[in-house]
Amino acid sequence: MLVAWRYRKRNSLVQWFDPRAWIIFYGCFLFSTLAFWDVRFLLPFFVIAWFWLLNSGLQWNEIRRPFLFIGTFVFFFAILTFLTGRGGQELYKQEHLIRQFAAPFTILGWRPTLDITVERAFFAVSQFVRVFSIAVMTILIPYSLNPALYGITFKGLGLPDKIAYAMDLTMRFIPTFGRDFQLTMDAQRARGYELEKISGGLIQQVRKLGPIIVPVTIHAIIGSEDIIDAMDLRAFGVGPRTWLEDLIYNRRDHILMAIGVIIVVLSITISLSGHGGFWVPDILIRWATGS
Amino acid sequence: MDKKLMSVLGALAVLLAIFAIVMFGLGTTEKLGPFNFTVDQATLPLRFAFVVIGILIAFAVYFFTKENKTWEVGTREVVYMAIGAALYAVFSYLFNGTVFVVPSLSQVSLRPAIAIPMFFGYAFGPVVGFFTGAVGNMFGDALTGFGLSPQWSIGNGLVGFISGMVFLFSDKKKSMDTVLYVSGALALVAAILFFLNRTQANMTFFDPANNIFGDSQISLLAGISILIGFVLILAVRFGFASNENIAAAVTWGMLGNILGLGFAAISDVWINGFSLTAAVVGEFLPAAGPNLIFAAILVPLLVGAYAAVQRQSGR
């Protein structure tokens, strides 16, 4: 359950950079990774993601839960892709069989069969490397960005004051509403409400969600009046906004952003020139075909 | 010409230029690496004409109503944007099937969060509605950790935006009738497409336990849910005829849902290379249909509760 963003100040490489530079680098990393399916091109991104993670100053017990959750999920889907071949057929037309496992029984005349092919195996590996690299970098964001700097970061990325502040508030409200949801749910459970055991027809089921959705929403709106008053009393929106903390780019930030931009430009160029698509080693195909 | 209008025109010109480059430049070439920008050359002028028409319509809405107070963004709107987006993100995350496994009935999963952009759009205006839907969807996707779908975030933004457009009309009742005709016609066309393509896969339904990954045939309930939703909205519209707020909220929410998710689904024709049938029957219907059912039930509850808060606080 969401309770609070897990940020704390750490003496680490990741937090050494300006948050704007880190976000821009993350954006470049994301677009670059998505440009490839070739595991040879994806491996450098996998290495960058691990380097970034190991230099984030995070302890294993801090990220164990999200890391295991995302890791297991990505691994599970990669295995499913490998077993079923789903998802990869758009990227390869022909499959080279390595081995076929057939069940010793039939079900209504159908014999369950598992085909292990070179393409399926490599697509699963490529998918795992691709998604896991992105997931590792994404997990780091809430741990390494200071919530007090959300607003100024978005402003620094070019958003108008009001929208930057709304983004800032959104990120601050998410853990609060997560907690409110849990409290409301506990209160309703004490009255015999069980979300996990909603029964009845479709309309009945939707109606039964009201005791959770309505109190959380209305409580949030009522609570907002104090925030609106406090902002009005400080003349919010009357003139250009000043921020409590200023962000100043250092040389290292420019270097990080330059690296990000170089990576994304290179990736797009390589990709547009027809490289980086799904790849399987020829040696494996030859081995599978016995030639 | 005033500065604000110039900046809006500039933004629209940039958008149009991007479309022109993609459609006339990259669209005429073969596949470029992993990117497929190819556009059917026979219908290219027609497609570009629709882009121009769409942008002109959006601009016309703003131009003819730019003096309307609805477009103003003050402290209250900034806070409501943040609250709406955060609530939408939290509810989307909690009800996405990984945190609370709520049952799905014949391929119709419970996604009650969609009531949030509809309600915030209606209660606090189109700008708040758009931010709630677009940013909330983005954060909701990000919370689950599996990346973003920008066109669906914009589609969700449009749900809130259109829900709030009711403020642009002086006569709410008249606007509701028009919205009902338009929505009814669109729902009917989508349902006819479903009956003509019964074998189409429901691409929004995933059930890993049963080895289903968006490839099972769309169920009858998912296919006709848009008609069920429309009938429910109609019942709310006339059942609450004396309460104009509830009737208007669900009616405009319905149009927002149909046009917003329709935009997102149809964009997949170009983005993911789906056929129009796959986009409408396989994606739009199972997403937008159940949403109408949630709108018909949850939005009135929220509007009623908010009216009580307004009476109590006097704001």
Side-chain angles (χ1 to χ4, degrees), chain A residues 73 77 80 86 162 166 169-171 173-174 177 181 185 202-203 205-206 209 217-218 220 224-225 229 231-232 271-272, chain B residues 33-35 73 75-76 79-80 82-83 86 90-91 94 100 110 112 116 119 139 144 146 211 213 215 293-294 297 309 315:
Chain A
F73 208 89
F77 269 92
L80 271 179
R86 283 198 169 90
K162 284 178 178 170
L169 278 179
T170 302
M171 293 189 80
F173 281 143
I174 286 174
F177 294 156
F181 182 93
M185 184 114 125
L202 182 61
I203 292 169
Q205 288 186 19
V206 178
L209 292 171
T217 307
I218 298 300
S224 72
E225 291 297 336
D229 287 345
M231 286 166 66
D232 277 339
S271 180
L272 289 180
Chain B
F35 305 104
V73 176
T75 313
R76 192 164 283 276
V79 175
Y80 288 142
I83 289 177
V90 169
F91 287 142
L94 292 171
F100 291 106
L110 293 185
I116 298 296
F119 166 69
F139 279 117
T144 54
F146 296 106
N211 208 19
F213 297 90
D215 53 358
I293 301 173
F294 308 141
I297 297 163
V309 170
R315 292 193 180 194

Short mmCIF file of all heavy atoms in Angstrom, two decimals, chain A residues 73 77 80 86 162 166 169-171 173-174 177 181 185 202-203 205-206 209 217-218 220 224-225 229 231-232 271-272, chain B residues 33-35 73 75-76 79-80 82-83 86 90-91 94 100 110 112 116 119 139 144 146 211 213 215 293-294 297 309 315:
data_model
loop_
_atom_site.label_atom_id
_atom_site.label_comp_id
_atom_site.label_asym_id
_atom_site.label_seq_id
_atom_site.Cartn_x
_atom_site.Cartn_y
_atom_site.Cartn_z
N PHE A 73 7.41 -10.15 -11.87
CA PHE A 73 6.40 -9.95 -12.91
C PHE A 73 7.05 -9.99 -14.30
O PHE A 73 6.55 -10.67 -15.20
CB PHE A 73 5.72 -8.59 -12.69
CG PHE A 73 4.31 -8.56 -13.20
CD1 PHE A 73 3.26 -8.94 -12.40
CD2 PHE A 73 4.06 -8.14 -14.50
CE1 PHE A 73 1.96 -8.92 -12.88
CE2 PHE A 73 2.77 -8.12 -14.98
CZ PHE A 73 1.72 -8.51 -14.18
N PHE A 77 6.42 -12.94 -17.13
CA PHE A 77 5.93 -12.72 -18.48
C PHE A 77 6.94 -13.16 -19.54
O PHE A 77 6.55 -13.64 -20.60
CB PHE A 77 5.53 -11.25 -18.68
CG PHE A 77 4.08 -11.04 -18.35
CD1 PHE A 77 3.69 -10.67 -17.07
CD2 PHE A 77 3.09 -11.27 -19.30
CE1 PHE A 77 2.35 -10.52 -16.75
CE2 PHE A 77 1.75 -11.12 -18.99
CZ PHE A 77 1.38 -10.75 -17.71
N LEU A 80 6.45 -16.81 -19.76
CA LEU A 80 5.21 -17.11 -20.49
C LEU A 80 5.41 -16.91 -21.99
O LEU A 80 4.93 -17.70 -22.80
CB LEU A 80 4.09 -16.18 -20.00
CG LEU A 80 3.27 -16.68 -18.82
CD1 LEU A 80 2.23 -15.65 -18.44
CD2 LEU A 80 2.57 -18.00 -19.14
N ARG A 86 3.88 -16.15 -27.55
CA ARG A 86 3.03 -14.98 -27.79
C ARG A 86 3.86 -13.71 -27.75
O ARG A 86 4.78 -13.59 -26.96
CB ARG A 86 1.95 -14.90 -26.72
CG ARG A 86 0.85 -15.88 -26.96
CD ARG A 86 -0.36 -15.48 -26.15
NE ARG A 86 -1.50 -16.25 -26.55
CZ ARG A 86 -1.83 -17.41 -26.00
NH1 ARG A 86 -1.12 -17.89 -25.03
NH2 ARG A 86 -2.88 -18.07 -26.41
N LYS A 162 1.80 27.36 -12.76
CA LYS A 162 0.60 26.71 -12.19
C LYS A 162 0.58 25.20 -12.47
O LYS A 162 0.23 24.41 -11.60
CB LYS A 162 -0.67 27.37 -12.74
CG LYS A 162 -0.92 28.73 -12.10
CD LYS A 162 -2.15 29.38 -12.67
CE LYS A 162 -2.39 30.72 -11.97
NZ LYS A 162 -3.43 31.51 -12.61
N ALA A 166 0.86 22.21 -9.84
CA ALA A 166 -0.18 21.16 -9.81
C ALA A 166 0.48 19.78 -9.88
O ALA A 166 0.07 18.84 -9.19
CB ALA A 166 -1.15 21.35 -10.97
N LEU A 169 1.95 19.11 -6.48
CA LEU A 169 0.91 18.70 -5.51
C LEU A 169 0.41 17.29 -5.79
O LEU A 169 0.15 16.52 -4.87
CB LEU A 169 -0.28 19.67 -5.60
CG LEU A 169 -0.18 20.99 -4.85
CD1 LEU A 169 -1.45 21.82 -5.07
CD2 LEU A 169 -0.01 20.77 -3.35
N THR A 170 0.27 16.95 -7.08
CA THR A 170 -0.22 15.60 -7.43
C THR A 170 0.68 14.54 -6.81
O THR A 170 0.20 13.59 -6.18
CB THR A 170 -0.24 15.42 -8.97
OG1 THR A 170 -1.05 16.42 -9.55
CG2 THR A 170 -0.75 14.05 -9.35
N MET A 171 1.99 14.73 -6.98
CA MET A 171 2.93 13.72 -6.45
C MET A 171 2.90 13.68 -4.93
O MET A 171 3.12 12.63 -4.33
CB MET A 171 4.33 14.00 -6.98
CG MET A 171 4.39 13.79 -8.47
SD MET A 171 6.04 13.85 -9.14
CE MET A 171 6.67 12.25 -8.76
N PHE A 173 0.17 14.37 -3.14
CA PHE A 173 -1.13 13.84 -2.70
C PHE A 173 -1.23 12.32 -2.85
O PHE A 173 -1.99 11.68 -2.12
CB PHE A 173 -2.26 14.47 -3.50
CG PHE A 173 -2.65 15.85 -3.04
CD1 PHE A 173 -3.02 16.83 -3.95
CD2 PHE A 173 -2.66 16.18 -1.70
CE1 PHE A 173 -3.38 18.10 -3.55
CE2 PHE A 173 -3.02 17.46 -1.27
CZ PHE A 173 -3.39 18.42 -2.20
N ILE A 174 -0.52 11.75 -3.80
CA ILE A 174 -0.69 10.32 -4.08
C ILE A 174 -0.49 9.45 -2.83
O ILE A 174 -1.37 8.64 -2.49
CB ILE A 174 0.20 9.87 -5.27
CG1 ILE A 174 -0.40 10.40 -6.57
CG2 ILE A 174 0.32 8.35 -5.33
CD1 ILE A 174 0.45 10.16 -7.81
N PHE A 177 -3.44 10.05 -0.34
CA PHE A 177 -4.72 9.43 -0.70
C PHE A 177 -4.64 7.91 -0.62
O PHE A 177 -5.64 7.24 -0.36
CB PHE A 177 -5.17 9.88 -2.10
CG PHE A 177 -5.48 11.35 -2.17
CD1 PHE A 177 -5.42 12.03 -3.37
CD2 PHE A 177 -5.84 12.06 -1.03
CE1 PHE A 177 -5.71 13.39 -3.44
CE2 PHE A 177 -6.12 13.42 -1.08
CZ PHE A 177 -6.04 14.08 -2.28
N PHE A 181 -7.27 5.95 1.54
CA PHE A 181 -8.00 4.80 1.00
C PHE A 181 -7.95 3.64 1.99
O PHE A 181 -8.96 3.00 2.28
CB PHE A 181 -7.37 4.39 -0.34
CG PHE A 181 -8.07 3.24 -1.01
CD1 PHE A 181 -9.06 3.47 -1.95
CD2 PHE A 181 -7.73 1.93 -0.71
CE1 PHE A 181 -9.70 2.41 -2.58
CE2 PHE A 181 -8.37 0.87 -1.33
CZ PHE A 181 -9.35 1.12 -2.27
N MET A 185 -11.03 2.04 3.97
CA MET A 185 -11.29 0.62 3.80
C MET A 185 -11.37 -0.09 5.15
O MET A 185 -12.26 -0.91 5.37
CB MET A 185 -10.16 0.02 2.97
CG MET A 185 -10.44 -1.39 2.69
SD MET A 185 -10.69 -1.63 1.02
CE MET A 185 -9.47 -2.86 0.84
N LEU A 202 -23.40 -7.12 -12.35
CA LEU A 202 -22.44 -6.06 -12.66
C LEU A 202 -22.84 -4.73 -12.00
O LEU A 202 -22.02 -4.06 -11.36
CB LEU A 202 -22.34 -5.90 -14.18
CG LEU A 202 -21.34 -4.87 -14.68
CD1 LEU A 202 -19.93 -5.23 -14.25
CD2 LEU A 202 -21.42 -4.72 -16.19
N ILE A 203 -24.09 -4.35 -12.17
CA ILE A 203 -24.56 -3.06 -11.63
C ILE A 203 -24.46 -3.06 -10.11
O ILE A 203 -24.04 -2.08 -9.49
CB ILE A 203 -25.98 -2.78 -12.13
CG1 ILE A 203 -25.92 -2.54 -13.64
CG2 ILE A 203 -26.61 -1.60 -11.41
CD1 ILE A 203 -27.23 -2.49 -14.34
N GLN A 205 -22.42 -4.80 -8.30
CA GLN A 205 -21.00 -4.75 -7.91
C GLN A 205 -20.46 -3.32 -7.99
O GLN A 205 -19.74 -2.87 -7.10
CB GLN A 205 -20.17 -5.65 -8.83
CG GLN A 205 -20.38 -7.12 -8.58
CD GLN A 205 -19.41 -7.97 -9.42
OE1 GLN A 205 -18.41 -7.50 -9.90
NE2 GLN A 205 -19.76 -9.23 -9.58
N VAL A 206 -20.82 -2.61 -9.06
CA VAL A 206 -20.34 -1.24 -9.22
C VAL A 206 -20.91 -0.37 -8.09
O VAL A 206 -20.20 0.45 -7.50
CB VAL A 206 -20.75 -0.67 -10.60
CG1 VAL A 206 -20.30 0.78 -10.73
CG2 VAL A 206 -20.16 -1.50 -11.72
N LEU A 209 -19.09 -0.35 -4.84
CA LEU A 209 -17.80 0.34 -4.73
C LEU A 209 -17.97 1.76 -4.18
O LEU A 209 -17.01 2.40 -3.78
CB LEU A 209 -17.12 0.40 -6.10
CG LEU A 209 -16.64 -0.94 -6.66
CD1 LEU A 209 -16.18 -0.79 -8.10
CD2 LEU A 209 -15.49 -1.49 -5.82
N THR A 217 -12.99 10.42 -2.06
CA THR A 217 -13.01 11.59 -2.95
C THR A 217 -13.51 12.83 -2.21
O THR A 217 -12.89 13.90 -2.27
CB THR A 217 -13.92 11.30 -4.17
OG1 THR A 217 -13.49 10.09 -4.77
CG2 THR A 217 -13.86 12.42 -5.18
N ILE A 218 -14.61 12.69 -1.52
CA ILE A 218 -15.21 13.87 -0.85
C ILE A 218 -14.30 14.35 0.28
O ILE A 218 -14.13 15.55 0.49
CB ILE A 218 -16.64 13.53 -0.34
CG1 ILE A 218 -17.53 13.17 -1.54
CG2 ILE A 218 -17.21 14.67 0.47
CD1 ILE A 218 -17.68 14.26 -2.59
N ALA A 220 -11.12 14.19 0.30
CA ALA A 220 -10.01 14.91 -0.36
C ALA A 220 -10.45 16.32 -0.74
O ALA A 220 -9.69 17.29 -0.56
CB ALA A 220 -9.57 14.14 -1.61
N SER A 224 -9.13 19.94 0.82
CA SER A 224 -8.42 20.87 -0.07
C SER A 224 -8.70 22.33 0.28
O SER A 224 -7.93 23.20 -0.10
CB SER A 224 -8.83 20.60 -1.52
OG SER A 224 -10.16 21.03 -1.73
N GLU A 225 -9.81 22.59 0.97
CA GLU A 225 -10.17 23.98 1.28
C GLU A 225 -9.06 24.65 2.09
O GLU A 225 -8.76 25.83 1.88
CB GLU A 225 -11.49 24.04 2.05
CG GLU A 225 -12.70 23.65 1.22
CD GLU A 225 -12.95 24.58 0.04
OE1 GLU A 225 -12.52 25.75 0.08
OE2 GLU A 225 -13.56 24.11 -0.94
N ASP A 229 -6.99 27.94 0.87
CA ASP A 229 -6.89 29.15 1.71
C ASP A 229 -5.44 29.52 1.94
O ASP A 229 -5.05 30.69 1.82
CB ASP A 229 -7.59 28.91 3.06
CG ASP A 229 -9.10 28.89 2.91
OD1 ASP A 229 -9.58 29.35 1.85
OD2 ASP A 229 -9.80 28.42 3.83
N MET A 231 -2.85 28.80 0.18
CA MET A 231 -2.21 29.29 -1.06
C MET A 231 -2.69 30.70 -1.40
O MET A 231 -1.90 31.55 -1.80
CB MET A 231 -2.50 28.32 -2.22
CG MET A 231 -1.69 27.03 -2.12
SD MET A 231 -2.28 25.73 -3.22
CE MET A 231 -1.92 26.43 -4.82
N ASP A 232 -4.00 30.94 -1.23
CA ASP A 232 -4.54 32.28 -1.51
C ASP A 232 -3.92 33.32 -0.58
O ASP A 232 -3.61 34.43 -1.00
CB ASP A 232 -6.07 32.28 -1.35
CG ASP A 232 -6.75 31.76 -2.61
OD1 ASP A 232 -6.10 31.79 -3.68
OD2 ASP A 232 -7.91 31.30 -2.52
N SER A 271 18.62 2.88 -35.21
CA SER A 271 17.34 2.24 -35.43
C SER A 271 16.77 2.59 -36.81
O SER A 271 16.27 1.72 -37.53
CB SER A 271 16.40 2.69 -34.31
OG SER A 271 15.18 2.11 -34.47
N LEU A 272 16.84 3.88 -37.18
CA LEU A 272 16.31 4.30 -38.48
C LEU A 272 17.14 3.75 -39.65
O LEU A 272 16.62 3.61 -40.75
CB LEU A 272 16.25 5.83 -38.58
CG LEU A 272 15.18 6.51 -37.72
CD1 LEU A 272 15.23 8.02 -37.89
CD2 LEU A 272 13.78 6.00 -38.05
N GLY B 33 13.26 1.13 -39.95
CA GLY B 33 13.66 0.41 -38.74
C GLY B 33 12.42 -0.12 -38.04
O GLY B 33 11.55 -0.72 -38.68
N PRO B 34 12.31 0.11 -36.72
CA PRO B 34 11.14 -0.40 -36.01
C PRO B 34 9.92 0.51 -36.17
O PRO B 34 8.85 0.21 -35.66
CB PRO B 34 11.62 -0.40 -34.56
CG PRO B 34 12.64 0.68 -34.49
CD PRO B 34 13.27 0.76 -35.83
N PHE B 35 10.10 1.67 -36.82
CA PHE B 35 9.00 2.63 -36.92
C PHE B 35 8.27 2.48 -38.24
O PHE B 35 8.87 2.49 -39.30
CB PHE B 35 9.53 4.07 -36.79
CG PHE B 35 10.32 4.29 -35.55
CD1 PHE B 35 11.71 4.36 -35.59
CD2 PHE B 35 9.69 4.41 -34.33
CE1 PHE B 35 12.44 4.55 -34.43
CE2 PHE B 35 10.42 4.60 -33.17
CZ PHE B 35 11.79 4.66 -33.22
N VAL B 73 -7.75 29.69 -14.88
CA VAL B 73 -7.17 28.73 -13.92
C VAL B 73 -6.65 29.51 -12.72
O VAL B 73 -5.68 30.26 -12.83
CB VAL B 73 -6.03 27.92 -14.56
CG1 VAL B 73 -5.38 27.00 -13.56
CG2 VAL B 73 -6.56 27.11 -15.73
N THR B 75 -6.24 29.49 -8.09
CA THR B 75 -5.72 28.62 -7.03
C THR B 75 -6.58 27.36 -6.88
O THR B 75 -6.09 26.24 -6.79
CB THR B 75 -5.72 29.37 -5.69
OG1 THR B 75 -5.16 30.65 -5.90
CG2 THR B 75 -4.95 28.62 -4.64
N ARG B 76 -7.90 27.60 -6.83
CA ARG B 76 -8.83 26.49 -6.62
C ARG B 76 -8.64 25.41 -7.70
O ARG B 76 -8.59 24.22 -7.40
CB ARG B 76 -10.24 27.08 -6.67
CG ARG B 76 -11.36 26.19 -6.20
CD ARG B 76 -12.60 27.01 -5.94
NE ARG B 76 -12.49 27.73 -4.69
CZ ARG B 76 -12.77 27.21 -3.49
NH1 ARG B 76 -13.21 25.97 -3.41
NH2 ARG B 76 -12.63 27.90 -2.40
N VAL B 79 -5.42 23.35 -7.28
CA VAL B 79 -5.52 22.33 -6.22
C VAL B 79 -6.43 21.18 -6.66
O VAL B 79 -6.10 20.00 -6.45
CB VAL B 79 -6.00 22.96 -4.90
CG1 VAL B 79 -6.22 21.90 -3.83
CG2 VAL B 79 -5.01 23.99 -4.41
N TYR B 80 -7.54 21.52 -7.33
CA TYR B 80 -8.44 20.44 -7.77
C TYR B 80 -7.79 19.58 -8.86
O TYR B 80 -8.03 18.38 -8.93
CB TYR B 80 -9.77 21.01 -8.28
CG TYR B 80 -10.64 21.55 -7.16
CD1 TYR B 80 -11.39 22.70 -7.34
CD2 TYR B 80 -10.70 20.91 -5.92
CE1 TYR B 80 -12.18 23.20 -6.32
CE2 TYR B 80 -11.48 21.40 -4.90
CZ TYR B 80 -12.22 22.56 -5.09
OH TYR B 80 -13.00 23.04 -4.09
N ALA B 82 -4.66 18.82 -8.98
CA ALA B 82 -3.74 17.92 -8.27
C ALA B 82 -4.52 16.83 -7.55
O ALA B 82 -4.15 15.64 -7.61
CB ALA B 82 -2.90 18.71 -7.29
N ILE B 83 -5.62 17.22 -6.89
CA ILE B 83 -6.41 16.22 -6.15
C ILE B 83 -7.01 15.20 -7.12
O ILE B 83 -6.95 13.98 -6.88
CB ILE B 83 -7.52 16.92 -5.34
CG1 ILE B 83 -6.88 17.66 -4.18
CG2 ILE B 83 -8.55 15.94 -4.83
CD1 ILE B 83 -7.84 18.43 -3.36
N ALA B 86 -4.28 12.91 -8.53
CA ALA B 86 -3.77 11.97 -7.52
C ALA B 86 -4.81 10.88 -7.22
O ALA B 86 -4.47 9.70 -7.13
CB ALA B 86 -3.40 12.72 -6.25
N VAL B 90 -4.32 6.93 -7.87
CA VAL B 90 -4.42 5.95 -6.77
C VAL B 90 -5.48 4.90 -7.07
O VAL B 90 -5.24 3.69 -6.94
CB VAL B 90 -4.72 6.67 -5.43
CG1 VAL B 90 -5.09 5.68 -4.34
CG2 VAL B 90 -3.51 7.48 -5.00
N PHE B 91 -6.66 5.34 -7.51
CA PHE B 91 -7.73 4.38 -7.80
C PHE B 91 -7.35 3.47 -8.98
O PHE B 91 -7.64 2.28 -8.97
CB PHE B 91 -9.06 5.09 -8.10
CG PHE B 91 -9.71 5.69 -6.89
CD1 PHE B 91 -10.36 6.91 -6.96
CD2 PHE B 91 -9.68 5.05 -5.66
CE1 PHE B 91 -10.96 7.48 -5.84
CE2 PHE B 91 -10.27 5.60 -4.54
CZ PHE B 91 -10.91 6.83 -4.63
N LEU B 94 -4.90 0.95 -7.62
CA LEU B 94 -5.47 -0.03 -6.69
C LEU B 94 -6.42 -1.01 -7.38
O LEU B 94 -6.52 -2.16 -6.98
CB LEU B 94 -6.20 0.69 -5.56
CG LEU B 94 -5.30 1.48 -4.61
CD1 LEU B 94 -6.12 2.33 -3.66
CD2 LEU B 94 -4.40 0.56 -3.81
N PHE B 100 -5.88 -5.06 -5.61
CA PHE B 100 -7.14 -5.71 -5.23
C PHE B 100 -7.63 -6.50 -6.43
O PHE B 100 -7.83 -5.93 -7.49
CB PHE B 100 -8.21 -4.69 -4.85
CG PHE B 100 -7.90 -3.99 -3.57
CD1 PHE B 100 -7.47 -2.69 -3.58
CD2 PHE B 100 -8.01 -4.65 -2.36
CE1 PHE B 100 -7.16 -2.04 -2.41
CE2 PHE B 100 -7.70 -4.01 -1.19
CZ PHE B 100 -7.27 -2.71 -1.20
N LEU B 110 -13.86 -4.51 -13.25
CA LEU B 110 -14.31 -3.30 -12.55
C LEU B 110 -13.20 -2.25 -12.59
O LEU B 110 -12.14 -2.46 -12.02
CB LEU B 110 -14.69 -3.64 -11.10
CG LEU B 110 -15.90 -4.53 -10.93
CD1 LEU B 110 -16.24 -4.70 -9.47
CD2 LEU B 110 -17.11 -3.98 -11.66
N PRO B 112 -13.54 1.33 -11.62
CA PRO B 112 -14.38 2.44 -11.18
C PRO B 112 -13.69 3.79 -11.26
O PRO B 112 -14.35 4.83 -11.20
CB PRO B 112 -14.68 2.08 -9.72
CG PRO B 112 -13.53 1.22 -9.29
CD PRO B 112 -13.11 0.46 -10.51
N ILE B 116 -13.72 9.40 -11.79
CA ILE B 116 -13.00 10.57 -11.23
C ILE B 116 -12.80 11.68 -12.28
O ILE B 116 -13.20 12.82 -12.03
CB ILE B 116 -11.65 10.12 -10.60
CG1 ILE B 116 -11.91 9.17 -9.43
CG2 ILE B 116 -10.82 11.32 -10.14
CD1 ILE B 116 -12.65 9.77 -8.25
N PHE B 119 -16.19 13.22 -13.07
CA PHE B 119 -16.72 14.07 -11.99
C PHE B 119 -15.93 15.37 -11.87
O PHE B 119 -16.50 16.46 -11.78
CB PHE B 119 -16.70 13.29 -10.66
CG PHE B 119 -16.92 14.18 -9.47
CD1 PHE B 119 -18.15 14.79 -9.26
CD2 PHE B 119 -15.90 14.43 -8.57
CE1 PHE B 119 -18.35 15.63 -8.17
CE2 PHE B 119 -16.08 15.26 -7.49
CZ PHE B 119 -17.31 15.87 -7.28
N PHE B 139 0.35 8.93 -14.14
CA PHE B 139 0.90 8.50 -12.85
C PHE B 139 0.39 7.11 -12.46
O PHE B 139 1.11 6.33 -11.86
CB PHE B 139 0.57 9.51 -11.75
CG PHE B 139 1.49 10.70 -11.72
CD1 PHE B 139 1.02 11.98 -11.95
CD2 PHE B 139 2.85 10.54 -11.47
CE1 PHE B 139 1.86 13.08 -11.94
CE2 PHE B 139 3.71 11.63 -11.45
CZ PHE B 139 3.22 12.90 -11.68
N THR B 144 2.31 1.47 -11.58
CA THR B 144 2.36 0.02 -11.78
C THR B 144 3.73 -0.40 -12.35
O THR B 144 4.07 -1.56 -12.28
CB THR B 144 1.25 -0.47 -12.74
OG1 THR B 144 1.36 0.29 -13.93
CG2 THR B 144 -0.11 -0.31 -12.16
N PHE B 146 5.02 -0.18 -15.51
CA PHE B 146 5.16 -0.80 -16.83
C PHE B 146 5.07 0.22 -17.97
O PHE B 146 4.54 -0.09 -19.03
CB PHE B 146 4.12 -1.89 -17.01
CG PHE B 146 4.32 -3.01 -16.05
CD1 PHE B 146 3.49 -3.17 -14.99
CD2 PHE B 146 5.40 -3.86 -16.21
CE1 PHE B 146 3.71 -4.19 -14.07
CE2 PHE B 146 5.62 -4.88 -15.30
CZ PHE B 146 4.77 -5.04 -14.23
N ASN B 211 -4.41 -18.36 -19.25
CA ASN B 211 -3.64 -18.26 -20.48
C ASN B 211 -4.32 -17.37 -21.53
O ASN B 211 -4.31 -17.66 -22.72
CB ASN B 211 -3.43 -19.68 -21.06
CG ASN B 211 -2.17 -19.75 -21.88
OD1 ASN B 211 -1.29 -18.89 -21.74
ND2 ASN B 211 -2.08 -20.75 -22.72
N PHE B 213 -4.35 -13.63 -23.12
CA PHE B 213 -3.56 -12.40 -23.20
C PHE B 213 -4.13 -11.51 -24.30
O PHE B 213 -3.50 -11.27 -25.32
CB PHE B 213 -2.09 -12.72 -23.47
CG PHE B 213 -1.45 -13.49 -22.36
CD1 PHE B 213 -1.45 -14.87 -22.37
CD2 PHE B 213 -0.87 -12.83 -21.29
CE1 PHE B 213 -0.89 -15.60 -21.33
CE2 PHE B 213 -0.29 -13.55 -20.26
CZ PHE B 213 -0.30 -14.93 -20.28
N ASP B 215 -6.49 -12.22 -26.32
CA ASP B 215 -6.74 -12.94 -27.56
C ASP B 215 -8.01 -13.78 -27.54
O ASP B 215 -8.27 -14.55 -28.45
CB ASP B 215 -5.54 -13.84 -27.90
CG ASP B 215 -5.16 -14.76 -26.75
OD1 ASP B 215 -5.82 -14.66 -25.69
OD2 ASP B 215 -4.21 -15.54 -26.89
N ILE B 293 -21.27 2.24 -17.67
CA ILE B 293 -22.01 1.66 -16.55
C ILE B 293 -21.50 2.27 -15.24
O ILE B 293 -22.28 2.66 -14.36
CB ILE B 293 -21.89 0.12 -16.54
CG1 ILE B 293 -22.44 -0.44 -17.86
CG2 ILE B 293 -22.61 -0.49 -15.35
CD1 ILE B 293 -22.23 -1.92 -18.08
N PHE B 294 -20.16 2.38 -15.11
CA PHE B 294 -19.59 2.98 -13.90
C PHE B 294 -20.03 4.44 -13.79
O PHE B 294 -20.34 4.93 -12.70
CB PHE B 294 -18.05 2.94 -13.90
CG PHE B 294 -17.48 1.57 -14.16
CD1 PHE B 294 -16.36 1.41 -14.94
CD2 PHE B 294 -18.09 0.44 -13.63
CE1 PHE B 294 -15.84 0.15 -15.20
CE2 PHE B 294 -17.59 -0.82 -13.88
CZ PHE B 294 -16.46 -0.96 -14.66
N ILE B 297 -23.56 4.99 -12.48
CA ILE B 297 -23.81 4.67 -11.07
C ILE B 297 -22.95 5.53 -10.14
O ILE B 297 -23.46 6.11 -9.17
CB ILE B 297 -23.54 3.17 -10.82
CG1 ILE B 297 -24.52 2.35 -11.65
CG2 ILE B 297 -23.69 2.83 -9.34
CD1 ILE B 297 -24.14 0.92 -11.83
N VAL B 309 -21.71 18.74 0.28
CA VAL B 309 -20.53 19.45 0.83
C VAL B 309 -20.64 20.95 0.52
O VAL B 309 -20.37 21.79 1.36
CB VAL B 309 -19.23 18.87 0.22
CG1 VAL B 309 -18.03 19.74 0.57
CG2 VAL B 309 -19.01 17.46 0.71
N ARG B 315 -19.45 27.11 -0.28
CA ARG B 315 -18.51 27.52 -1.35
C ARG B 315 -18.89 26.90 -2.69
O ARG B 315 -19.54 25.91 -2.73
CB ARG B 315 -17.10 27.06 -0.99
CG ARG B 315 -16.54 27.81 0.18
CD ARG B 315 -15.07 27.56 0.30
NE ARG B 315 -14.51 28.29 1.43
CZ ARG B 315 -13.21 28.48 1.62
NH1 ARG B 315 -12.35 28.01 0.76
NH2 ARG B 315 -12.76 29.14 2.65
#
